[in-house]
Short mmCIF file of all heavy atoms in Angstrom, two decimals:
data_model
loop_
_atom_site.label_atom_id
_atom_site.label_comp_id
_atom_site.label_asym_id
_atom_site.label_seq_id
_atom_site.Cartn_x
_atom_site.Cartn_y
_atom_site.Cartn_z
N GLU A 294 167.39 32.97 -62.95
CA GLU A 294 168.03 33.07 -61.65
C GLU A 294 167.59 31.93 -60.76
O GLU A 294 166.60 31.32 -60.95
CB GLU A 294 167.71 34.43 -60.99
CG GLU A 294 166.22 34.66 -60.82
CD GLU A 294 165.95 36.08 -60.28
OE1 GLU A 294 166.69 36.56 -59.40
OE2 GLU A 294 164.96 36.68 -60.72
N GLY A 296 167.42 30.57 -56.49
CA GLY A 296 167.48 30.97 -55.13
C GLY A 296 166.99 29.87 -54.19
O GLY A 296 166.51 28.81 -54.62
N PRO A 297 167.06 30.11 -52.88
CA PRO A 297 166.78 29.13 -51.89
C PRO A 297 165.25 28.94 -51.72
O PRO A 297 164.52 29.90 -51.69
CB PRO A 297 167.38 29.68 -50.61
CG PRO A 297 167.31 31.13 -50.81
CD PRO A 297 167.57 31.36 -52.29
N ARG A 325 156.50 39.62 -60.18
CA ARG A 325 157.28 39.79 -61.45
C ARG A 325 156.55 39.16 -62.60
O ARG A 325 156.14 37.99 -62.54
CB ARG A 325 158.65 39.15 -61.32
CG ARG A 325 159.56 39.83 -60.36
CD ARG A 325 160.93 39.20 -60.46
NE ARG A 325 161.77 39.72 -59.39
CZ ARG A 325 162.91 39.14 -59.11
NH1 ARG A 325 163.37 38.09 -59.76
NH2 ARG A 325 163.68 39.63 -58.09
N ARG A 368 157.26 36.70 -55.06
CA ARG A 368 158.50 36.60 -54.27
C ARG A 368 158.40 37.40 -53.00
O ARG A 368 157.68 38.47 -52.97
CB ARG A 368 159.70 37.03 -55.04
CG ARG A 368 160.01 36.16 -56.21
CD ARG A 368 161.24 36.70 -57.02
NE ARG A 368 161.60 35.79 -58.06
CZ ARG A 368 162.54 34.89 -57.97
NH1 ARG A 368 163.25 34.81 -56.89
NH2 ARG A 368 162.79 34.09 -58.98
N ALA A 369 159.03 36.99 -51.96
CA ALA A 369 159.10 37.76 -50.70
C ALA A 369 160.06 38.92 -50.96
O ALA A 369 161.05 38.79 -51.57
CB ALA A 369 159.61 36.87 -49.58
N VAL A 370 159.65 40.09 -50.41
CA VAL A 370 160.53 41.26 -50.55
C VAL A 370 161.72 41.15 -49.62
O VAL A 370 162.84 41.40 -49.99
CB VAL A 370 159.72 42.56 -50.20
CG1 VAL A 370 160.66 43.75 -50.07
CG2 VAL A 370 158.67 42.77 -51.29
N GLU A 371 161.53 40.70 -48.43
CA GLU A 371 162.62 40.61 -47.40
C GLU A 371 163.79 39.74 -47.88
O GLU A 371 164.95 40.19 -47.66
CB GLU A 371 162.11 40.07 -46.04
CG GLU A 371 161.02 40.87 -45.45
CD GLU A 371 159.61 40.40 -45.88
OE1 GLU A 371 159.53 39.64 -46.85
OE2 GLU A 371 158.66 40.81 -45.28
N TYR A 372 163.57 38.63 -48.42
CA TYR A 372 164.64 37.74 -48.79
C TYR A 372 164.73 37.55 -50.29
O TYR A 372 165.72 36.90 -50.79
CB TYR A 372 164.46 36.37 -48.13
CG TYR A 372 164.51 36.50 -46.60
CD1 TYR A 372 163.36 36.41 -45.88
CD2 TYR A 372 165.72 36.70 -45.91
CE1 TYR A 372 163.37 36.54 -44.49
CE2 TYR A 372 165.73 36.83 -44.59
CZ TYR A 372 164.58 36.74 -43.80
OH TYR A 372 164.59 36.88 -42.50
N GLY A 373 163.75 37.99 -51.04
CA GLY A 373 163.77 37.82 -52.49
C GLY A 373 163.41 36.41 -52.93
O GLY A 373 163.46 36.10 -54.13
N CYS A 374 163.10 35.53 -52.05
CA CYS A 374 162.87 34.12 -52.42
C CYS A 374 161.54 33.91 -53.12
O CYS A 374 160.55 34.59 -52.81
CB CYS A 374 163.08 33.17 -51.25
SG CYS A 374 162.11 33.63 -49.79
N PHE A 375 161.56 32.97 -53.98
CA PHE A 375 160.39 32.55 -54.77
C PHE A 375 159.36 31.91 -53.81
O PHE A 375 159.68 31.01 -53.10
CB PHE A 375 160.86 31.57 -55.90
CG PHE A 375 159.79 30.94 -56.64
CD1 PHE A 375 159.21 31.61 -57.71
CD2 PHE A 375 159.33 29.64 -56.33
CE1 PHE A 375 158.17 30.99 -58.49
CE2 PHE A 375 158.34 29.07 -57.07
CZ PHE A 375 157.78 29.73 -58.14
N HIS A 376 158.09 32.35 -53.99
CA HIS A 376 157.00 31.69 -53.19
C HIS A 376 156.19 30.80 -54.07
O HIS A 376 156.01 29.64 -53.74
CB HIS A 376 156.12 32.76 -52.54
CG HIS A 376 156.67 33.24 -51.26
ND1 HIS A 376 155.87 33.38 -50.13
CD2 HIS A 376 157.91 33.56 -50.85
CE1 HIS A 376 156.65 33.79 -49.11
NE2 HIS A 376 157.88 33.92 -49.55
#
Side-chain angles (χ1 to χ4, degrees):
E294 58 185 320
R325 291 188 190 165
R368 293 177 176 265
V370 170
E371 300 89 346
Y372 300 102
C374 51
F375 173 83
H376 275 225

